[in-house]
Structure formats: C-alpha cells, structure tokens
Amino acid sequence: MLSLKEKDRPIVRKLLCAGCCVRCVLRFCCVGTSSAYRRSSQDLHKELLAFISEENSPESHDASGEEKSSDAPPNKRMRTDEDSVTAAQTDSDICPVCLGVLQDFCDPTFAKQVSDAVKKQQYEFDSLVLTVSLPAQMSVREHSCWLHVKKEVREKSMCLGKEDVIQVKDAFKWAVQGKIGQELGAAVVANSPCEVSVGFIHPETQEDCHFLANACPDCFKPTKNKASIFTRMAVVKALEKISEEKFSRHYPCPPKKANTRCTALDTTCLHTSVFIAGRYNKFSRELPQTPWVIDGERRMDGSVEELIAAPLLSSFRADGFNFSSSGREDVDVRTLGNGRPFAVELLNPHRTKFSRTEIKHLQETINQSSDKIRVRDLQIVTRDATSRMKEGEEEKTKTYSALIWTEKAIDSPDLEFLANIKDLRIAQKTPLRVLHRRPLAVRQRLIHSMSTIYLDKHHFTLKLCTQAGTYIKEFVHGDFGRTKPNLCDLMKTDADILELDVESVDIDWPPAIPD
C-alpha cells in the first residue's frame, strides 16, 4: 500500500487530470519510500485510481458530517473528475513533467541497457554510484506543476513546500539502481570511486527556458566551457528569483503535454584517479624528466615520466596520467642515492586492485624497460598522501655533487675555506635558462654546507648540502651576476660546472618498502 493520506487525494486527482505519470504523482505527494517507485506503473496507476475513488465509498461523509447512505449515487463532480483522469491518461502517455524519464526508463529493459553499456567498458569495481543528468527545461516544468498543485492545496489551507517534493533524480534512482546493481553484481551506494552516469535530453522542449533569460537576465551569463547559457544551475537560480505571478504570465500551469519522450544519452563510466608513488634514479645525462618540446618540436626521445608511466597505464588500463615529483633535475643531471620522490596520478583507471606482489612485478617491469632509470618503493597511495611530497618542500635539504672547472690554477689548500662556510644565504634571480617558464623573482636560499675533493689544477669536486629549490649551476657560475654571492665571487676566479649529480633528496616519503 502507498503511504498516501486524505490530504493527498486532491493532489493525486489534479496531477492525474494534468496527465502526470504515477511516479510524478508520488513525488508531489512527498512519498519518500523508495520501494514505492520500484513498483510497476500499472500497479501504481490502479492503486492511485482506487485511492481517489475511495471518497465515494459508503464510509465517506457528506458536507454536513452525516454518513452517506450505502446506496447513494456517486457525487456528480467526482464522477466527472474520474472521467477526466481516465481521459488524461488515454490522450497522452508522456508525462508533461518528467517527459518520460519516470515511465519507460524505469523498467528492467532500460536497466539492462545501462548495465550492458557498463560491462562493455570493462571496469572492475565492487560498488558504484549512479548519477543522473536531466535537461534544464525539466526544472521549469517541475516549477510549473508545483505552482499548479500549490494553488489547490492553498485553497484547502494546506502547505506544500517545493523542497518537500521528491526530486526526479531521486525517484529515478530508487526505481532503477537496484536492477542495475543486480545486473552488474555490485552495490549501488551514495559514494563510490566508480561513477556510472545516465543522461537525458529533450530537444522538443529546449525552448521552455528561454523566457527566463528576459525575466532574469542576470542569472544567465555566457561561459567558455558551456555551449548554452541555459545550464541547470542558471535555470534553478532564475526560478528562485522569478515571482509566481510573473512565471504564470509566461508559462502555462500545468505544463503543456509533450509529443516525444526524453532521449537517453550514452551511458558513461568514470573511476576516480589512482595514485602511485615511489622514488626514481636517473642515470643518463641525456634524459629529461618530462618530454622536452621546444617551439612545438620534440628534442629528445623518451623521458623519466614516460618510462615510468607506460607500464602503469597499461596495467591499470588508465586513460591518461599526471606526473609530479619533489623538484626536478635538468636533462644533463643524474639523480643518484635513494632517488627522487614522485607520484603518478592515473586517470580513469579501469583496473584498480593490485596485490603487493603485482605492484612489485610492475616495479621490475619498469626497471627492466630501460637502463636509464630505476624505480624503488613503488606503492599505491591516497590523493591526500601525495600532498606530503610538496609540504614544506623548500625547508627540506638536498645534497649534490658537482664537477667544477676554474679558470685560475688552484691547489688543494685553495679549497679549504669552503668547508668552513655554513648556512650561506644567497639571493637568486630567476635563472635566464628557465625564465621562459618561471616568473621573474628573487629567491632567498641557503647553502648549508660545502666540502671539496681536489682533482687537478683546474678541477675539483664540490659537494653541497642546500635548501631545496636552490639553483646549483647558477650558484657556481653566477648567471651573469643574477645569483649573489656565487662560487666565482668566493674563489675570486671564473668557474663553471661540468657535471652535476643529485646525491639525495631528504624527504621521508613515500615510506620505504623492504626488498
């Protein structure tokens, strides 16, 4: 039995007379029991007709409060209303409010159609969330019907708030999500990393919203990413602003019947991103971290991110990826030691569950694909965890080893003073070599400590422990005076850097995984 009350009788009658479908009738009667919407339209229609005919039963009372005689003829007005209801349901079976969404699209056939579309996309999931996109003009029709019903309940000193009416989206989900979940063998829940989207359009009524642009012009602003100004949010905003009297002047209440049903768009699936973290070593001086493209032309084959991401994309069956790391090295700089922390966001992965053994195998696959890089500590992490890689990055330290050339001939004692310099504060203007992609600024950085290994009259190895974000090459040669002080200033000779290695990136993330 439907949880309808005496006060709902005039609403049911009025909506059925307007040609509304049975589920829209339940919505406007504020029936919030999901099981009611899963029942067949035929059963609901029979029960609603029986409900409105109960007013003529022998148990009902006349205006004076006297019980009517059991053989009293039906009230003439009631007989006319029932005839109107029957006629309305016969003239057109397309609901003027939901435009058919809560009719044929709530049957098992459509649920199977959605499920088959999901299966074809070959996602792996235990649960899913169903999202529904409706044409914006449906909000106008909903508002029109609410005003139509509101007039009836107001005359009877009752109240029906628009927020009390069950939304079309909710009614649709209640009707079909159980069938879809059963077909897919997965739970349909409120929150899930896997989203199945069902959408509808209705070209016949797309101009229903247009009068609102004149009535509430400030609600409709063109945007670059939207093909039409009549978005659902803009329409809802305009409906909240427009007066009932003004709305009724421009739009009929109840809404006019439509000749066609909504058309269902292709079912789409989207899985939230999966994040893979680890550390990488780079052993080549001819390998950029990311694809190196200048003036639209690629300069070198391969990159660190591509070598790492390719096996991940294949295994997770993802649509794409975003690569990030704790800093970056130049193409001619090696990254040694325990490596540089990185994270890969895999976009819309179709497979997401991997055992530790499978992740370890993935790491081996990456390492075997090239001798230019090596990955360690590969693991699946959360989105929030990746933020730790960037948190306080400039407060972290990095250790470098650089091969230095000096114009002036040097001896080992000439280098000893560098070891005594601690926490040297330097000011670095954005280097000329990166000015095309970094904003012009002066950055204060610290050289925490330095040590040297004498090689010959013009060469030595410089080891530095610095604040993260320090431009080492510019500290050595000065970048035409853009870094102050620099090694040339300290040694009072021109100097340049011939080779540079990152020895360590002192960020305790991601957690180390024992071999």
Side-chain angles (χ1 to χ4, degrees), residues 379-397:
Q379 56 196 279
I380 296 176
V381 297
T382 64
R383 179 188 292 272
D384 291 341
T386 62
S387 63
R388 296 178 200 161
M389 186 174 65
K390 298 293 184 181
E391 284 176 0
E393 191 175 74
E394 292 187 357
E395 282 70 46
K396 300 296 183 180
T397 60

Side-chain angles (χ1 to χ4, degrees), residues 19 25 50 54 67 91 149 151 164 192 203 211 214 245 255 303 317 321-322 332 373 449 479 496:
V25 172
E54 286 175 7
E67 187 176 300
D91 292 341
V149 173
K151 181 181 178 182
D164 297 325
S192 171
F211 76 95
N214 293 324
E245 187 272 333
S303 65
R317 305 204 309 272
F321 72 95
N322 291 318
D332 59 348
I373 66 164
S449 64
D479 198 23
D496 205 353

